[in-house]
Amino acid sequence: MSQHTPSSPDSPTPKKSWCRIPDIYAVLFIFISLAAIATHFVPAGQFERVPGPNGRITIDPTSYEQIASSPIGIVDFMLAIPNGLMSAGEVVFFTFMIGGMFMVLRRTGIIEIGVDKLTRRFARQSLLTIPVLMTVFALIATVIGTQELALVYVPVILPLMIALRFDSVTAAAVALCATTVGFTTGVLNPINTGLGQQLSDLPLYSGYGLRVMAFVVMLAAAIFFVMRYARRVRQTPSLSLLSSDTSESEKRSLYQHADNSPALIASVRQKLAAVATFAFFAVLVYGVLQQGWFMMEMAGLFIIMGIVVGLIAGLDTDEICAGFNQGFRDVLVGAMIAGVARGVAVMLEDGQIMDTLVFGLGNLVGGLPTLLSAIGMFFAQLGFNFIVPSGSGQALVTMPLMAPLSDIIGVTRQTAVLAFQLGDGIGNILYPTSGYFMATLALAGVPWQKWVKFFFPLFCVWIVIALGFLIFAQATQWTG
């Protein structure tokens, strides 16, 4: 048994940082506790639920009434995390499946071969891959409105970013920031723009001109910010936020090779496996665009994809199963966090104060001066997004209230929808209650605390941009 040797009086004592962000589990447990405590002080209330667009259930904004209080007890609090995991089961399962599938692909060797070829192709213009990828990802998100595709993008581009001498934060930023810009501005996004306008009785996708401008400005800011960080990391690797991370060192040793190293050559079976991989991704795109597939359908496809591609590449069943198991282990923390984060909303829903919070936000915005009303709507949506990170869910709960309220306080309904879009979108990659976001960070191997240090300055810039567009819309009484 080893003995503990006390440090000498002269040895330096590590300094504690007073601004250190606590572990994500501690942060989420604090929020769950605060939500549970709030149910003892905030009056319980509810809106009547009525049929909305496309068969969705929304609220009747005139039906709010207080009901008997049902504060969270010890047993309910104890079940918050298990119920959160059950409620977020779709995200949790999807995270496991995509992690397992990509680990099987890595074992086939086709990812390393593909990365090697791309690295040699873009060796002289490595920074240009960032604006190209971000523009493509943002355009896809602004048309189909699936921010969750970042979960698919990150494992694909992570090896490439590492091989080009960037880091995992860069890979996460390319996927998350780009899809968030596209989703938030929602030029033709059916999830936030389309549903928000339907609930507000506006022509579908009207006002696209201003949203295109917001798309360009926000994307330009994101590209500049990500490229600036990536350039610093490439020139001075010690400046990476993950420079001391063991797993980051392992990724560098796996994907970064000397400039004069021989090119990797694919075998016939690996070439066939690569073709099969592209075919599966083509099926994925078709399913998302034409069949309305979401996480469960994609997860099922990834299971089949891992098995089929693995067999074509020459892996036996034991190797395929081992690949899935290793992938599951690698994303375990992220999958768990996605479920734990859902516990905050579970507490508010079980304590029946969710509708009360929505009603209170509406009254708060209604009491602001006309000049600040659009800004108030934005911050109300940004705050509510912490509790309900789902774009469609937030629209169905808040827009039936905000749309008629905008008529009363002198804000056009088009501006109210824009405030919802901007407030709903940009918090999705900051708040730890966003399940897909936390799962994406897990796939990239980026701790939430590190991401906050990286992203928060851009988050503040995006808020300033959002406020500028909202002030313009309010001043011009923008109707689209």
Side-chain angles (χ1 to χ4, degrees):
M1 180 181 297
S2 62
Q3 293 182 343
H4 172 70
T5 303
S7 58
S8 77
D10 297 329
S11 61
T13 303
K15 293 182 179 180
K16 292 184 178 180
S17 173
W18 293 101
C19 60
R20 186 179 68 87
I21 302 174
D23 187 88
I24 183 59
Y25 284 121
V27 171
L28 292 174
F29 186 79
I30 290 170
F31 285 132
I32 291 172
S33 301
L34 292 175
I37 293 171
T39 64
H40 290 264
F41 299 97
V42 178
Q46 66 179 12
F47 287 102
E48 182 182 344
R49 263 56 184 178
V50 296
N54 302 320
R56 300 172 182 262
I57 300 299
T58 184
I59 67 169
D60 177 357
T62 63
S63 65
Y64 177 79
E65 61 178 359
Q66 291 192 5
I67 59 176
S69 179
S70 56
I72 296 298
I74 296 297
V75 174
D76 293 329
F77 180 74
M78 182 176 67
L79 294 176
I81 292 176
N83 285 335
L85 285 164
M86 294 291 290
S87 179
E90 189 174 42
V91 178
V92 173
F93 183 73
F94 180 82
T95 305
F96 278 127
M97 292 307 106
I98 195 171
M101 182 272 293
F102 272 99
M103 184 54 66
V104 172
L105 294 189
R106 277 183 55 183
R107 288 187 172 228
T108 66
I110 62 176
I111 289 182
E112 284 75 8
I113 293 171
V115 168
D116 181 69
K117 292 184 180 298
L118 289 173
T119 303
R120 295 174 188 278
R121 171 66 180 84
F122 294 105
R124 296 181 182 275
Q125 303 99 8
S126 58
L127 275 174
L128 291 181
T129 60
I130 293 174
V132 170
L133 289 172
M134 290 185 70
T135 301
V136 171
F137 294 164
L139 286 171
I140 292 172
T142 208
V143 172
I144 68 175
T146 308
Q147 210 171 0
E148 290 80 2
L149 281 177
L151 279 163
V152 179
Y153 298 147
V154 158
V156 174
I157 67 172
L158 177 62
L160 177 62
M161 293 293 105
I162 299 295
L164 291 174
R165 302 295 194 272
F166 303 130
D167 66 353
S168 298
V169 173
T170 306
V174 168
L176 287 169
C177 294
T179 52
T180 297
V181 167
F183 178 87
T184 299
T185 55
V187 177
L188 296 174
N189 182 351
I191 294 177
N192 62 359
T193 305
L195 184 57
Q197 289 182 331
Q198 283 181 304
L199 292 166
S200 303
D201 294 323
L202 292 170
L204 194 61
Y205 303 128
S206 56
Y208 65 87
L210 189 63
R211 294 199 303 277
V212 168
M213 292 175 60
F215 174 87
V216 172
V217 174
M218 291 184 69
L219 180 60
I223 289 174
F224 171 80
F225 188 80
V226 176
M227 288 185 69
R228 186 184 64 169
Y229 172 82
R231 183 184 293 111
R232 290 204 310 264
V233 169
R234 182 175 172 83
Q235 293 174 349
T236 312
S238 61
L239 294 179
S240 168
L241 291 171
L242 301 175
S243 59
S244 60
D245 189 274
T246 304
S247 63
E248 192 72 7
S249 300
E250 293 173 353
K251 294 174 192 174
R252 288 195 293 267
S253 63
L254 179 64
Y255 295 115
Q256 291 182 3
H257 305 290
D259 294 336
N260 58 354
S261 60
L264 299 178
I265 305 298
S267 66
V268 174
R269 298 194 72 156
Q270 285 175 322
K271 290 179 181 179
L272 292 174
V275 172
T277 299
F278 283 114
F280 273 107
F281 275 111
V283 172
L284 174 68
V285 172
Y286 169 78
V288 171
L289 294 180
Q290 300 296 323
Q291 301 298 317
W293 284 7
F294 199 49
M295 288 190 182
M296 293 302 288
E297 292 84 358
M298 288 192 288
L301 181 68
F302 288 148
I303 296 172
I304 298 173
M305 181 177 175
I307 296 171
V308 172
V309 173
L311 291 174
I312 292 175
L315 301 182
D316 59 34
T317 55
D318 288 344
E319 290 173 314
I320 293 173
C321 292
F324 271 108
N325 284 335
Q326 185 178 346
F328 296 159
R329 288 193 296 269
D330 288 348
V331 300
L332 174 61
V333 172
M336 289 294 295
I337 289 172
V340 173
R342 177 68 180 137
V344 178
V346 168
M347 290 291 90
L348 299 177
E349 291 167 356
D350 289 352
Q352 296 186 303
I353 65 171
M354 183 77 81
D355 286 4
T356 300
L357 295 178
V358 176
F359 182 72
L361 287 174
N363 287 337
L364 181 63
V365 171
L368 292 173
T370 301
L371 186 62
L372 301 177
S373 297
I375 295 175
M377 283 186 169
F378 166 74
F379 281 109
Q381 296 284 9
L382 185 64
F384 191 72
N385 182 240
F386 179 85
I387 305 169
V388 182
S390 164
S392 58
Q394 187 168 341
L396 292 165
V397 173
T398 63
M399 287 314 299
L401 191 67
M402 293 297 179
L405 178 63
S406 66
D407 298 336
I408 299 173
I409 62 178
V411 176
T412 66
R413 292 197 171 197
Q414 200 73 264
T415 302
V417 173
L418 182 63
F420 152 68
Q421 291 177 240
L422 297 173
D424 165 60
I426 64 178
N428 282 339
I429 57 172
L430 176 67
Y431 297 152
T433 50
S434 174
Y436 96 91
F437 158 59
M438 298 305 296
T440 303
L441 289 185
L443 289 170
V446 178
W448 178 72
Q449 298 91 324
K450 299 289 187 181
W451 173 260
V452 171
K453 290 181 181 180
F454 165 81
F455 174 67
F456 192 73
L458 177 60
F459 176 74
C460 294
V461 170
W462 276 352
I463 286 182
V464 172
I465 293 172
L467 294 180
F469 276 97
L470 288 170
I471 291 171
F472 171 81
Q474 175 72 357
T476 59
Q477 285 295 292
W478 175 57
T479 59

